[in-house]
Amino acid sequence: MTKESYRMPDGFLWGAANAAHQFEGAWDVDGKGISIADVMLAGTKPWLNGQAPAKYANATAAGLATKHRLVTDQVEEGGNYPNHRGIDFYHTYPEDFALMKEMGMNAFRTSIAWTRIFPNGDEDEPNEAGLAYYDRFFDKMLALGIEPVVTLNHFEMPYHLVTEYGGWRNRKLIDFFTKYTRVVLERYGDRVSYWMTHNEINNQAQYFSDHLMLQNSGLKDYDESDAEELMYLASHHELVASALAVKIAHEVKEKVGNPKLQMANMIAMNPIYPHTSNPADQMAAYRAMEQTYWWGDVAARGKYPKWLLNYFEHHNFKVDITEEDEQILAENTVDYVAFSYYMSNVIGADDNPWIDFRLDKNHFDNEFLEKSDWGWQIDPVGLRWALNWMYDRWDKEMMIVENGFGAYDQLESDNSIHDDYRIKYHQDHVLNMERAVVIDGIPVMGYLPWSGIDMISASTGEMLKRYGFIFVDLDDAGQGSGKRYKKDSYYWYQKLVHSNGTEL
Ligand code: BG6
């Protein structure tokens, strides 16, 4: 067979993705409030065998090898809060965007830091300095021909909403979020067309993780036995808020005359495969997929699936779904589906007919796949599988807004970085995306990998877990010149984009 080569449709978005709290830094500048990311200390990966590989020796020696990101009650003097510094993109964006433009990118995903607009989340009036900052930011991108793709809520809600209101368990959060949404859409809706509400809203399916519960829903200080019910309650409020944001987007679209303006509710897609061909494993994996992607069902189909309503009733979960909520959900389904894709999982059955999928039980390694140093199983074919699965289910256009390989990179003495492992990861995933587009006929709007530039890892707070095509000379303790260097993957991606996908 000749080498496969596929051209993407005209207007395909080739870009990259980042999140404000992971790269902006400037955590207390121009009136910004404290977000949940600002009270997370540095952590490091849960090492696969309890022993850090030798290449991480420096990080371990520097005392950064705590396993989890601890959350403090407030910002404590002397604490290592990596999100406070990010990579200082807040100030360096003009030069960094120039580098991305040179790479050929025509799109870039970031989030608006909610706390720059409403520092505490519950103010009457927005912070004009924060709004003015994103005016300059988006205008710079547009001047370079880079289309902004924007997340409203990417693991960075105001911490005040956690301490004063208990996070998304509180229905009042719907009003705070929709107010913020209206302000930013009315301000930027004439220039920014692609929006999404919550980042990876479905991560909290793993409700036993206090890290994910805080990141997604601002849930803290709860009794472990209440975690699952709280997760459903908070999720419901997030989904209603998201549907109302779709409504606002459609109103603003008319008002500002931007016919391209559209809203998604972003999910993390990791296919879940059955451990064996045993029908019980098949059923467990099938339901595990539903338990992990029902957020997408509600957002795209406008209603809760029956199995889930049964599940709430069976467990006596009070989820507070009103008739008005049902109507809001039904009338305001998302315009497109945005998702991240990194890996896949494998699950086996147990004897619980209600099936409660948790990654901390009934979970297996996939013997056919390799893992990254952080234990994420690398599955390019799963991306094609996932695109087909989602399109069959939701029948919407799709955008890949994250896909990438977290790895340790070595800066050589001539300032080169030979990240062939990252090139291979993207090559294999892009090939499978292209097969889905050309062979399977799936409408994919764009590929925005994680990431154009190195930044702080969300799960571990490390700098050492790098994803970028551009290297940033900073370590886990924030030491380094901060200079930017092009990795080998930078040149590879440049070629791919210039050939519209044909030169893999
Ligand atoms: C996604 C998040 O979960 O994965 C990003 O949307 C995150 O914020 C990315 O950075 C990679 O995860 P991590 O934990 O390696 O940074």
Side-chain angles (χ1 to χ4, degrees):
M1 192 177 148
T2 51
K3 192 168 176 280
E4 288 179 72
S5 174
Y6 304 102
R7 178 175 296 279
M8 290 298 93
D10 289 345
F12 190 80
L13 299 177
W14 290 105
N18 289 63
H21 69 102
Q22 290 172 261
F23 77 156
E24 283 182 358
W27 71 285
D28 58 354
V29 169
D30 292 338
K32 181 181 169 300
I34 298 174
S35 78
I36 54 172
D38 291 324
V39 288
M40 285 188 197
L41 293 166
T44 195
K45 70 178 178 177
W47 302 108
L48 300 179
N49 51 10
Q51 185 70 40
K55 62 191 174 188
Y56 302 107
N58 290 341
T60 314
L64 300 172
T66 49
K67 286 195 176 174
H68 298 289
R69 296 195 71 177
L70 298 176
V71 178
T72 52
D73 288 339
Q74 66 236 338
V75 174
E76 281 169 11
E77 185 103 20
N80 181 14
Y81 296 100
N83 300 68
H84 288 192
R85 49 184 184 266
I87 57 164
D88 198 30
F89 201 85
Y90 189 82
H91 297 109
T92 59
Y93 70 90
E95 301 89 60
D96 288 331
F97 279 141
L99 278 173
M100 294 190 205
K101 175 69 188 167
E102 192 188 325
M103 218 190 305
M105 287 186 195
N106 59 11
F108 184 78
R109 173 184 176 220
T110 188
S111 56
I112 291 177
W114 186 347
T115 48
R116 293 200 192 283
I117 312 302
F118 286 99
N120 283 323
D122 60 356
E123 292 88 349
D124 288 334
E125 295 299 324
N127 171 31
E128 179 53 33
L131 286 167
Y133 171 72
Y134 288 111
D135 273 330
R136 298 192 293 278
F137 188 94
F138 294 136
D139 286 347
K140 181 73 197 171
M141 289 170 72
L142 291 162
L144 290 168
I146 300 175
E147 182 91 44
V149 177
V150 175
T151 320
L152 290 163
N153 178 26
H154 192 136
F155 304 162
E156 54 202 350
M157 63 187 284
Y159 192 45
H160 176 77
L161 298 183
V162 175
T163 53
E164 290 303 307
Y165 298 89
W168 280 95
R169 79 185 86 183
N170 190 329
R171 195 171 260 277
K172 283 194 180 138
L173 271 275
I174 298 177
D175 294 337
F176 298 139
F177 180 76
T178 48
K179 182 170 190 179
Y180 155 62
T181 299
R182 187 174 287 285
V183 165
V184 295
L185 276 162
E186 288 189 345
R187 182 84 170 215
Y188 312 117
D190 58 338
R191 288 160 283 171
V192 178
S193 302
Y194 301 104
W195 294 86
M196 56 200 93
T197 52
H198 310 291
N199 183 66
E200 296 187 335
I201 185 171
N202 59 321
N203 274 351
Q204 54 198 317
Q206 303 310 315
Y207 55 83
F208 55 87
S209 157
D210 49 4
H211 179 75
L212 295 176
M213 292 284 266
L214 181 67
Q215 273 192 334
N216 276 129
S217 293
L219 294 173
K220 197 173 168 263
D221 303 328
Y222 50 84
D223 195 305
E224 220 177 290
S225 60
D226 296 334
E228 189 178 9
E229 181 174 15
L230 267 181
M231 177 273 285
Y232 285 119
L233 176 67
S235 295
H236 176 63
H237 293 151
E238 286 155 29
L239 285 164
V240 173
S242 182
L244 288 169
V246 173
K247 187 165 188 253
I248 293 168
H250 293 172
E251 287 163 14
V252 172
K253 175 179 175 169
E254 295 304 319
K255 196 164 155 190
V256 302
N258 177 0
K260 270 171 48 187
L261 199 152
Q262 47 195 299
M263 185 69 79
N265 184 358
M266 190 267 204
I267 55 167
M269 165 50 71
N270 307 314
I272 303 162
Y273 305 134
H275 185 217
T276 70
S277 54
N278 180 339
D281 283 349
Q282 301 287 325
M283 185 60 225
Y286 183 90
R287 179 52 46 82
M289 282 296 288
E290 294 188 310
Q291 285 183 340
T292 311
Y293 299 106
W294 65 266
W295 285 263
D297 290 340
V298 176
R301 293 170 164 170
K303 60 176 187 189
Y304 277 82
K306 184 72 176 112
W307 69 263
L308 185 54
L309 297 173
N310 289 348
Y311 189 86
F312 293 159
E313 202 180 319
H314 173 76
H315 289 87
N316 200 20
F317 289 159
K318 307 267 175 295
V319 185
D320 187 25
I321 305 172
T322 66
E323 272 176 30
E324 194 191 346
D325 293 345
E326 284 173 342
Q327 195 179 342
I328 291 169
L329 295 173
E331 288 173 357
N332 302 288
T333 53
V334 288
D335 298 311
Y336 70 106
V337 170
F339 69 99
S340 63
Y341 181 89
Y342 290 91
M343 60 188 147
S344 58
N345 289 303
V346 172
I347 180 181
D350 61 16
D351 54 9
N352 172 12
W354 285 91
I355 303 175
D356 169 20
F357 168 58
R358 300 171 51 143
L359 275 177
D360 61 345
K361 54 176 207 179
N362 307 338
H363 182 243
F364 295 86
D365 275 352
N366 190 327
E367 57 182 315
F368 301 101
L369 303 178
E370 300 203 334
K371 285 181 183 170
S372 77
D373 278 350
W374 278 261
W376 295 17
Q377 294 215 290
I378 304 163
D379 180 10
V381 176
L383 175 58
R384 180 177 177 184
W385 186 95
L387 280 163
N388 277 274
W389 188 87
M390 287 187 284
Y391 187 56
D392 281 353
R393 201 171 177 93
W394 299 323
D395 198 16
K396 307 259 180 197
E397 277 195 285
M398 277 182 277
M399 200 188 294
I400 301 171
V401 294
E402 285 185 39
N403 172 231
F405 191 62
Y408 173 83
D409 292 333
Q410 179 66 45
L411 179 65
E412 306 293 346
S413 52
D414 63 355
N415 295 331
S416 58
I417 301 99
H418 304 304
D419 57 340
D420 47 312
Y421 36 86
R422 184 169 293 107
I423 294 175
K424 167 102 177 86
Y425 180 96
H426 286 289
Q427 265 169 340
D428 293 347
H429 285 79
V430 170
L431 176 64
N432 277 282
M433 172 191 76
E434 294 186 344
R435 286 174 175 163
V437 172
V438 176
I439 300 176
D440 306 334
I442 312 287
V444 180
M445 303 152 86
Y447 180 70
L448 279 62
W450 196 268
S451 169
I453 189 161
D454 292 342
M455 74 194 115
I456 306 296
S457 155
S459 56
T460 69
E462 291 164 291
M463 242 340 259
L464 277 181
K465 189 184 188 189
R466 295 173 186 275
Y467 284 90
F469 299 134
I470 300 166
F471 184 92
V472 179
D473 181 24
L474 288 174
D475 66 14
D476 285 347
Q479 302 298 310
S481 67
K483 280 194 182 148
R484 280 48 172 161
Y485 298 105
K486 296 171 186 171
K487 304 183 191 178
D488 287 356
S489 56
Y490 178 98
Y491 300 103
W492 170 80
Y493 195 57
Q494 189 175 47
K495 221 162 46 136
L496 177 76
V497 172
H498 283 301
S499 68
N500 199 9
T502 58
E503 285 192 45
L504 263 184

